[in-house]
Amino acid sequence: MSVLQPTAADKSPLQELEAALQQRVMARWAAWWARMAAEGLPTDLGALERAVEQFVHQVGQQLVAVLATAVQPTNRPTCGVCHAPLRCVDPARPITVRGIFGDYRLERAYYVCPAGHGSATPADAAWGLGPARVTPRLAERLCRLVVEVPFERAATLAAELWGVAVDGETVRRVAEGVGQVAEATEQAAQAAVRAGQVPAPTGPGPAGLLVALDGAMVHTDGAWHEVQVGVCQALQPTARGTWEPTGAPDYCVEVGSRTAFWPRLYAHAAAAGVESRTCHLIALIGDGAHWIWEDAGAYFGGPGKQVVEILDFYHAAEHVWAVAHALYPADEAAAAAWADPLVAALRDQGPAPVQAALAMLAPPDPAAAAVVARERGYFAYHADRMDYPRYRRHGLPIGSGTVESACKVVLKQRLSQGGMRWSRVGAQAVATLRAWHRSGRWAAFWASRPLTQRVPPKRRCAA
Ligand SMILES: [Zn+2]
């Protein structure tokens, strides 16, 4: 029976609960104090803190276990299939759950459908538990580690920092499951966009929006695949008549195909207010991949919106260097002497000096000639996206910083490290969790009780 239910005693349920807790806490206190008194109180602050921490953990374990059992729902659930009231066949079915104070042995009511449609323990959902027997608070901490470090390392850190014993496989299961909940939200936003519903911006529309994208290689399902990273950031006009990025950047990662990337990035841009009336400027920054620029027009533009396409400066500079290395394959100094002034000119004057230099070249051999021909094509195709002096005059980013850091910080540092092998689903789950963390969506996401959203519905009888 729940402690909160009325009893024959003259105490209220809350008083009953308080009395039960006090008894347990005082028993822990007495045992702890007796040991401290026998051993002698440490003068070292480190030892003192460690001893108090042990006590807090012991008391925390007791408090959570008793309180959780007390606050579980008492209303009788109905069957999800036949809607008949379920029958309680065990008022105190135990479950052991791992949390930040250790393992809690919790007891909750266990119901079955009289017509045999299945069973239910509604307390689990009320507590915010999912299929992994880990509390939401511990799950959040484990996921927070997984956002930064590999699963095995996260398990080691959990043990060292908080004394929580979990193995890498458990950490992986919890984090990937939670990441899939976040990813399901991403998918729903994209489905809405495909169905023609543009999400309303979460705040007032920006005056302009920076939309940047880049890719990196990640090993998924046995092979290397290019993974796309996108970032959206509001742009605001300054008193000098230029633009400047404002607010926090919003990141997204697509581990699947390129064709899935634009809908994902567009859903983020829409949530950032790209379609709002206030938004007049869209600055698109990407690398030289043709698919980016061929498909961008399907998503961005329209009446009252100016789209400025910017080829990421870092990528453009790499193409100047490709020619330099083809011309001087064995002479780094000579290659630099050729490339450095042209890269500077590209930034300060735009593509014309590079195109002029390429036009004048007489390549020494067929291999160099092939590179020069290819890069002439590259600089011709992208010339309109290389007006870097103009972008800089207007305060628009020319890439390097924003795009490179998005790719490095959000993607490479966690997913492309040496020896990392992923399933596509797992990589997407962790990438989305990391992107959401870096985009400031962490607290709101955990407030949505993601563990409960993992409960497989078909095994559940009650709604
Ligand atoms: Zn039923």
Side-chain angles (χ1 to χ4, degrees):
M1 183 185 289
S2 166
V3 182
L4 288 184
Q5 282 171 348
T7 62
D10 50 3
K11 280 183 177 168
S12 77
L14 261 183
Q15 285 171 325
E16 290 272 322
L17 180 59
E18 191 199 356
L21 287 172
Q22 204 170 52
Q23 209 177 9
R24 285 166 182 258
V25 171
M26 289 316 289
R28 291 284 172 190
W29 163 257
W32 182 79
W33 183 251
R35 189 166 62 81
M36 295 302 290
E39 288 172 5
L41 290 172
T43 51
D44 171 63
L45 196 51
L48 194 62
E49 228 175 8
R50 209 161 36 243
V52 172
E53 189 182 22
Q54 277 178 359
F55 172 65
V56 167
H57 269 252
Q58 289 171 359
V59 170
Q61 201 177 10
Q62 292 290 314
L63 287 180
V64 172
V66 173
L67 285 170
T69 298
V71 299
Q72 66 179 290
T74 51
N75 47 334
R76 204 169 160 194
T78 53
C79 175
V81 180
C82 69
H83 305 292
L86 300 186
R87 195 171 68 227
C88 180
V89 291
D90 186 352
R93 174 158 292 215
I95 181 179
T96 301
V97 177
R98 188 147 297 179
I100 60 171
F101 298 120
D103 284 355
Y104 316 119
R105 189 178 180 277
L106 308 178
E107 291 176 349
R108 78 277 206 240
Y110 176 73
Y111 298 87
V112 295
C113 167
H117 289 127
S119 62
T121 47
D124 294 6
W127 285 333
L129 289 181
R133 295 183 171 189
V134 168
T135 63
R137 189 85 186 103
L138 178 57
E140 182 181 349
R141 285 189 178 182
L142 294 177
C143 288
R144 184 65 191 84
L145 290 179
V146 165
V147 160
E148 308 298 336
V149 298
F151 304 118
E152 289 295 339
R153 183 87 190 111
T156 306
L157 283 174
E160 290 178 7
L161 293 173
W162 312 311
V164 173
V166 279
D167 56 40
E169 179 56 21
T170 304
V171 173
R172 187 191 63 77
R173 264 204 330 274
V174 170
E176 288 189 0
V178 169
Q180 282 167 34
V181 173
E183 178 56 20
T185 306
E186 291 268 334
Q187 293 296 330
Q190 291 169 48
V193 165
R194 280 197 199 90
Q197 301 154 5
V198 176
T202 44
L209 192 70
L210 169 69
V211 178
L213 54 163
D214 197 6
M217 301 306 282
V218 175
H219 199 277
T220 56
D221 291 347
W224 289 95
H225 293 103
E226 191 179 28
V227 168
Q228 309 296 328
V229 181
V231 53
C232 298
Q233 190 171 19
L235 292 167
Q236 68 181 7
T238 67
R240 300 184 307 281
T242 62
W243 294 89
E244 65 182 8
T246 178
D250 175 48
Y251 301 103
C252 62
V253 179
E254 172 60 51
V255 176
S257 64
R258 281 172 182 178
T259 47
F261 183 55
W262 268 126
R264 182 186 292 266
L265 183 54
Y266 178 76
H268 279 257
V274 74
E275 299 299 352
S276 67
R277 281 186 185 185
T278 58
C279 186
H280 297 301
L281 177 87
I282 298 144
L284 279 178
I285 304 180
D287 64 20
H290 286 209
W291 66 270
I292 293 175
W293 307 106
E294 282 158 8
D295 296 345
Y299 291 94
F300 296 105
K305 309 229 182 259
Q306 185 197 0
V307 179
V308 179
E309 296 186 354
I310 303 173
L311 187 87
D312 175 49
F313 180 74
Y314 178 84
H315 285 91
E318 275 185 332
H319 284 259
V320 174
W321 275 98
V323 176
H325 286 133
L327 295 174
Y328 308 100
D331 188 346
E332 191 61 28
W338 188 86
D340 281 339
L342 284 175
V343 169
L346 178 65
R347 190 189 58 227
D348 298 335
Q349 301 166 47
V354 177
Q355 287 181 291
L358 289 176
M360 288 193 314
L361 280 178
D365 55 72
V371 172
V372 169
R374 189 188 70 207
E375 299 305 340
R376 278 175 183 151
Y378 177 90
F379 280 91
Y381 181 81
H382 290 298
D384 291 345
R385 304 184 181 103
M386 295 185 184
D387 196 351
Y388 299 117
R390 185 178 133 239
Y391 311 143
R392 291 168 68 212
R393 255 196 329 273
H394 288 94
L396 296 175
I398 59 172
S400 339
T402 324
V403 186
E404 274 300 294
S405 79
C407 198
K408 200 183 291 174
V409 171
V410 177
L411 183 62
K412 287 185 196 161
Q413 284 177 0
R414 179 63 186 89
L415 276 86
S416 315
Q417 287 182 18
M420 281 190 177
R421 299 290 180 266
W422 297 89
S423 71
R424 199 160 114 176
V425 172
Q428 182 68 67
V430 172
T432 295
L433 269 189
R434 186 167 165 102
W436 280 31
H437 179 264
R438 295 295 189 265
S439 307
R441 298 176 71 173
W442 193 254
F445 173 57
W446 283 95
S448 76
R449 300 169 23 111
L451 290 185
T452 60
Q453 297 173 48
R454 294 189 55 204
V455 178
K458 56 178 179 282
R459 274 194 60 243
R460 292 284 156 186
C461 188

